Amino acid sequence: MSSISSPPPVKRVAAGALRWAGILWFIVAAIGQAAFISFILAFYGTRTASGDYAGWNDKPLIDGYIAGDATGNFIFAAHVLLASVVTFAGLMQLVPWIRRAFPMLHRWSGRTFLVVAGFMALSGFWLTLVRGTSLSNVSSAAIVIDGLLILVFGALAWRNAIRRRFDQHRVWAMRTFMAVSGVWFLRVGIMGWVLVNQGPVGMSDSLSGPADIVIVFGSYLIPLVLLELYFRAGRSAHAAPKFLTAAIVLVAAAFTAIGVFGTIALMWGPYL
Ligand code: HEM
């Protein structure tokens, strides 16, 4: 039946559309994450290397540097500087060419990604729950749940790699990538929303307005749902789900591009 309604050329086009929509989204995200890494190194890296710790607060932060809080400042510095490492390692893992041509590099960057992602979650818990860095209960709850997902997904990605179940490993590794990218998506989501609406509609300074709530939880839940759709469409024998998912991914890529532009032009660029 399906071979009559969806002849092979249509299926080939559908599979190609899905694949290229995914690649386009990844290119946009890679540019945005490269900007995130560059900002971290140019802003936090230079100030930390020159001992200007108070300079972390030259941009708006909740706490950042607190005079006299050596432990908190040290953990903040480790968290923020390792954010560049986890983001870079995450991007490397998703490039198929690196995986195929340099399998040893893929294994080591994968271990680095998972170990540092675990540290990011644990240090994030500490900053939020022990140091008490929080804008609102709802935004803290959202990021703590993201941290828990990072730990669970990362452990499953690692376990499946050790057991050589590579299909499962790939699925959990991509879910980990989405959860780790949640904090980057949060920034992209905020700026994308502000630009699309020409202002902070439904937002508050404590990240607890109606739009903020959708964005703080959606920063990882929406990418994770889209990833599942992408997996399912890829496995589907029919052309329609592939075309539909490709269209959704293209819309996501367009929104991501707007948000990436916003983060570079308005969130990070002015502080460099
Ligand atoms: C794994 C991915 C993560 C990355 C890449 C990341 C990245 C960052 C960056 C770049 C900053 C500096 C703030 C800025 O310049 O905007 C930061 C601060 C912070 N992060 Fe994370 N983070 C991650 C995970 C988490 C998690 C899971 C939590 C909470 C459970 C968390 C809690 C915090 C807190 C509380 C601050 C301090 C903010 C302040 O003092 O203003 N992070 N993070």
Side-chain angles (χ1 to χ4, degrees), residues 36 39-40 44 59 61-64 76 79-80 83 86-87 117 120-121 124-125 127-128 131 133 143-144 146-147 150 180 183 187:
F36 189 40
F39 168 74
I40 291 167
Y44 292 109
K59 78 182 265 295
L61 279 173
I62 314 171
D63 283 327
F76 177 87
H79 182 87
V80 90
V86 80
T87 308
M120 294 304 293
F125 293 156
L127 289 169
T128 308
R131 197 186 208 198
T133 302
I143 189 140
V144 166
D146 187 30
I150 291 171
V180 166
V183 294
R187 288 151 175 86

Side-chain angles (χ1 to χ4, degrees), residues 5-116:
S5 58
S6 303
V10 176
K11 287 188 183 173
R12 263 206 308 279
V13 173
L18 183 64
R19 190 173 124 75
W20 280 102
I23 290 174
L24 180 70
W25 177 82
F26 179 70
I27 291 171
V28 172
I31 293 169
Q33 296 204 349
F36 189 40
I37 296 168
S38 309
F39 168 74
I40 291 167
L41 296 178
F43 184 85
Y44 292 109
T46 52
R47 282 166 175 76
T48 310
S50 64
D52 176 18
Y53 309 128
W56 298 333
N57 296 18
D58 289 346
K59 78 182 265 295
L61 279 173
I62 314 171
D63 283 327
Y65 176 79
I66 299 176
D69 179 13
T71 310
N73 293 335
F74 177 76
I75 294 178
F76 177 87
H79 182 87
V80 90
L81 295 176
L82 286 171
S84 63
V85 175
V86 80
T87 308
F88 185 70
L91 283 176
M92 273 178 68
Q93 292 317 94
L94 292 198
V95 180
W97 173 74
I98 296 183
R99 224 159 41 219
R100 278 195 300 268
F102 305 102
M104 193 60 126
L105 179 62
H106 174 77
R107 277 199 286 278
W108 277 104
S109 54
R111 286 176 189 131
T112 306
F113 172 68
L114 291 176
V115 169
V116 179

Side-chain angles (χ1 to χ4, degrees), residues 1-7:
M1 179 69 190
S2 70
S3 61
I4 295 169
S5 58
S6 303

Side-chain angles (χ1 to χ4, degrees), residues 56-255:
W56 298 333
N57 296 18
D58 289 346
K59 78 182 265 295
L61 279 173
I62 314 171
D63 283 327
Y65 176 79
I66 299 176
D69 179 13
T71 310
N73 293 335
F74 177 76
I75 294 178
F76 177 87
H79 182 87
V80 90
L81 295 176
L82 286 171
S84 63
V85 175
V86 80
T87 308
F88 185 70
L91 283 176
M92 273 178 68
Q93 292 317 94
L94 292 198
V95 180
W97 173 74
I98 296 183
R99 224 159 41 219
R100 278 195 300 268
F102 305 102
M104 193 60 126
L105 179 62
H106 174 77
R107 277 199 286 278
W108 277 104
S109 54
R111 286 176 189 131
T112 306
F113 172 68
L114 291 176
V115 169
V116 179
F119 174 81
M120 294 304 293
L122 296 177
S123 55
F125 293 156
W126 192 90
L127 289 169
T128 308
L129 303 172
V130 180
R131 197 186 208 198
T133 302
S134 168
L135 273 177
S136 65
N137 287 342
V138 71
S139 65
S140 293
I143 189 140
V144 166
I145 293 172
D146 187 30
L148 291 172
L149 293 181
I150 291 171
L151 293 179
V152 173
F153 293 175
L156 288 167
W158 192 297
R159 202 170 72 156
N160 280 297
I162 289 173
R163 298 191 174 174
R164 308 188 71 77
R165 294 191 206 126
F166 292 114
D167 281 353
Q168 282 301 306
H169 164 69
R170 189 177 147 266
V171 167
W172 285 109
M174 287 180 73
R175 287 177 183 148
T176 313
F177 174 82
M178 290 300 181
V180 166
S181 300
V183 294
W184 173 78
F185 283 126
L186 176 63
R187 288 151 175 86
V188 168
I190 290 172
M191 296 318 298
W193 179 259
V194 168
L195 288 183
V196 166
N197 292 288
Q198 306 281 299
V201 177
M203 296 173 128
S204 76
D205 287 346
S206 61
L207 264 188
S208 51
D212 293 314
I213 293 174
V214 174
I215 294 171
V216 290
F217 286 98
S219 62
Y220 50 94
L221 294 179
I222 294 170
L224 284 169
V225 168
L226 291 186
L227 180 66
E228 293 314 307
L229 283 181
Y230 186 81
F231 285 149
R232 275 162 196 266
R235 286 195 302 266
S236 170
H238 302 282
K242 292 192 201 304
F243 279 127
L244 186 63
T245 307
I248 295 171
V249 173
L250 285 180
V251 172
F255 182 78

